Amino acid sequence: MSLCAAFITFLCLIGNLSWPLPALASTPAHGESIYAFGYHLLELGDHYRAITELKRFSLLFPDHIKQPAAQILLGLAYEASADYDTATNYFRRLQQTEHDSDMHRLALYKLGEIRLHQRQYQQATQIFQRFLAQFPDGSLVDRTTYL
């Protein structure tokens, strides 16, 4: 029997066997570890791998409590890798879904900051003015006023 025929026979046998496949990362503890690993990679400056892990977390655990934080981290990772358009999409989506929360506040601030990086000063000024109108108090106010 040739190697090709043996391989085809093997595939046929495997196809006829039935056994339960393990669930893909279904436990919340596994979700926490994926999130933590993505965060750790971002801290190390490994943006590409951080994006991969955080996207995996987002796909496998769409209803996890840390989902908004993962979206912020994805935006930060894309911003750090100078992919400003993708970062803007993440921050804009968060700003639209996370009303009156810290995530909304940070997303709006980062949108203004990205506009500064892109040298779109008029848009950055408008975003920062909207930020100050919505959030007159807080940790980012002094920095926003300075910018």
Side-chain angles (χ1 to χ4, degrees):
M1 181 184 291
S2 72
L3 184 60
C4 184
F7 184 67
I8 290 173
T9 305
F10 173 74
L11 289 178
C12 289
L13 288 173
I14 293 294
N16 291 329
L17 295 176
S18 63
W19 62 80
L21 295 175
L24 288 175
S26 59
T27 64
H30 192 241
E32 291 286 334
S33 66
I34 294 172
Y35 173 85
F37 185 53
Y39 181 77
H40 178 70
L41 289 169
L42 186 60
E43 285 183 323
L44 292 175
D46 192 349
H47 305 123
Y48 179 76
R49 287 181 51 208
I51 289 168
T52 302
E53 290 302 315
L54 291 166
K55 278 186 171 183
R56 185 163 69 114
F57 171 81
S58 294
L59 289 172
L60 294 175
F61 301 95
D63 299 325
H64 197 279
I65 193 166
K66 289 192 175 183
Q67 194 57 244
Q71 299 303 305
I72 285 284
L73 292 177
L74 278 164
L76 293 173
Y78 278 112
E79 180 188 14
S81 61
D83 186 351
Y84 297 125
D85 293 334
T86 306
T88 297
N89 289 337
Y90 276 97
F91 293 134
R92 190 173 290 135
R93 199 172 322 130
L94 267 170
Q95 185 221 352
Q96 293 168 354
T97 59
E98 298 294 320
H99 300 291
D100 299 326
S101 70
D102 288 338
M103 296 298 168
H104 175 81
R105 178 187 308 241
L106 182 58
L108 186 57
Y109 174 79
K110 293 306 287 181
L111 284 171
E113 203 172 57
I114 286 173
R115 294 297 181 224
L116 277 179
H117 287 300
Q118 293 176 317
R119 299 175 192 256
Q120 297 175 359
Y121 300 119
Q122 185 176 4
Q123 288 179 349
T125 301
Q126 291 171 353
I127 292 171
F128 285 140
Q129 286 173 345
R130 193 168 84 220
F131 177 88
L132 290 171
Q134 285 182 338
F135 305 106
D137 302 322
S139 61
L140 297 173
V141 171
D142 290 339
R143 182 156 170 80
T144 304
T145 306
Y146 172 74
L147 294 173

